[in-house]
Every structure is written in C-alpha cells, then in structure tokens.
Amino acid sequence: MLQPLMNVLKTKRIILASGSPRRKQILTNIGLKFEIESSSFEENLDKSLFPEPPQYAVENAFQKTMEVARRLSSDPNPPDLLIGADTIVTMDGVIYEKPRDEEDAFNMLSRFSGRQHTVYTGLVLATPESNPGPNGDKFRVSKFYESTDVIMAQMTPELIRQYIATGEPMDKAGGYGIQGLGGTLVAGIKGDYFNVMGFPLHRFAKELVQIYESKK
C-alpha cells in the first residue's frame, strides 16, 4: 500500500516518537527511513476521564507525539512527519499496561488464562501545517486506533511463573510478547497481528496514504 509513496517518504524527515524496539522493527522491516526520538511524556493520565479504553490510548499517543513535536519545533531541520503510538490491553473493562513488577505480570496473565482480551493501539500522525490555525497550531494531526482480539491458552501458575522468569513480559502491555516466547501462549487472534506487537501496520499505511493524497 505504501509502495507508491516510498520515493516521497525517503525524502522526508520522519520521527518515531517511541523507544519501542517492536515499533522500530516493524517500520524498519518495510524499508521506512526514520529517526527515533523517545518522548518524555509521563503516562499518568486519569483513566476514569475516558469513556472508552481506546480513547485513553489515543490521548497517550497524542501527548507523546506533541511533546516531541514541541521539543523539535525550533530545530533547523524540522520533521515532516511524527509518529506516536500507545498500546493497551483491556478485559472486563479494566485497562492493562506494562506490568509494574513480576507479581503484577503474574496477576495479569492469570486473568487472561483461557480467555479473550482486546489489544488497542492508539496512533497519531502529525505533519507540518502550511497555514497555522488561529491558535498557532503548527501541525496537522491525525488520530485513530486499531483493535485486535486475542485468545490466550489455559496457563498453569507454574507456566506463568516460568514465562515471567524469562524477563520478556516486563516491558510489554498486558505482560506478554506475541512476537517472542509469549506467542506460544496465544491460542488465536482476530485482527491485525502487528497491532498486538504495538503498531497497526496496515492502518498506519492506509492513513498515511490519505494524508499525502490530500496534500496534492
């Protein structure tokens, strides 16, 4: 889907406002040229203020992106595109992010055992605004999210402890990595596999094409 745009994108300064190695891997694999500028935004938003979980993920992504955008606003070579993302897991109305510690990871995975949960990734794409608005907005911002349902296998407490001991769960929303050993715990998914990794690749490509088509 991005093939017609790749020659244009190669001339742009693209910033990934995330230090996630999974997002870096996904974008590198499609041949996108980009820089990484991790956001310093503290993800401490009040979850109770958001009617639905994906709105919380989108707002986190927006705040992370805008923090980087403000930091680079005076750069002699400002970015042509900023990409921000935030991934959460939800089940029974509860939002699960990265586990705080091993016990938190154990509790998460125990709840998921034999059940279905949903992974949401909020994504934000920001491009320079040629005609800043009345508020001085310098970026045109596109916000959206993608969801994927994940069915986990039945897991014994011993198996969960052994998985946590590998260290893999600790930096991942929901306490597991589908692209690693955690993939052996996943019985099935409905939706975008890459979304579970933390970056909805197809939706990203679709939205990016629309942005650049509208600029013509």
Side-chain angles (χ1 to χ4, degrees):
M1 180 171 284
L2 281 181
Q3 289 87 336
L5 266 185
M6 289 306 286
N7 285 336
V8 173
L9 294 175
K10 287 177 181 177
T11 68
K12 304 297 184 182
R13 186 184 182 198
I14 300 173
I15 302 293
L16 174 61
S18 170
S20 164
R22 275 79 59 188
R23 293 175 187 137
K24 176 184 176 182
Q25 175 190 345
I26 291 169
L27 292 178
T28 299
N29 286 349
I30 65 171
L32 196 67
K33 178 184 174 184
F34 62 96
E35 304 167 39
I36 293 175
E37 192 71 43
S38 296
S39 176
S40 62
F41 171 70
E42 294 184 16
E43 298 177 37
N44 55 6
L45 298 174
D46 185 350
K47 296 180 179 67
S48 67
L49 298 178
F50 299 89
E52 299 293 338
Q55 296 173 0
Y56 169 76
V58 169
E59 185 61 23
N60 265 326
F62 174 72
Q63 294 296 337
K64 288 193 278 189
T65 306
M66 289 300 99
E67 188 280 322
V68 173
R70 286 189 291 270
R71 191 154 24 101
L72 298 180
S73 62
S74 59
D75 196 291
N77 179 27
D80 299 298
L81 170 66
L82 291 112
I83 305 168
D86 185 63
T87 301
I88 60 171
V89 171
T90 68
M91 189 178 73
D92 298 333
V94 177
I95 294 175
Y96 298 91
E97 298 177 276
K98 297 174 184 177
R100 296 184 300 274
D101 49 36
E102 291 189 355
E103 198 59 30
D104 193 29
F106 178 80
N107 291 334
M108 286 185 190
L109 292 169
S110 297
R111 294 187 186 104
F112 298 158
S113 178
R115 298 189 62 195
Q116 175 178 296
H117 61 262
T118 302
V119 178
Y120 290 104
T121 297
L123 206 60
V124 169
L125 305 178
T127 55
E129 184 62 80
S130 55
N131 297 305
N135 297 323
D137 299 329
K138 295 181 178 180
F139 289 91
R140 172 185 172 184
V141 177
S142 176
K143 305 178 187 180
F144 52 96
Y145 68 87
E146 194 61 68
S147 65
T148 303
D149 294 328
V150 180
I151 304 166
M152 299 296 276
Q154 289 283 352
M155 297 175 282
T156 64
E158 181 183 13
L159 176 60
I160 294 173
R161 295 285 186 196
Q162 289 174 342
Y163 175 55
I164 292 171
T166 69
E168 186 178 272
M170 303 313 297
D171 67 337
K172 298 170 181 66
Y176 69 94
I178 194 171
Q179 73 283 356
L181 191 59
T184 65
L185 308 175
V186 175
I189 70 169
K190 182 179 180 182
D192 185 352
Y193 168 87
F194 294 105
N195 188 49
V196 186
M197 285 182 65
F199 197 84
L201 186 57
H202 175 72
R203 184 69 184 279
F204 162 74
K206 181 179 177 181
E207 297 286 341
L208 195 56
V209 167
Q210 290 181 355
I211 287 172
Y212 277 93
E213 285 292 328
S214 69
K215 288 177 175 290
K216 290 182 177 180

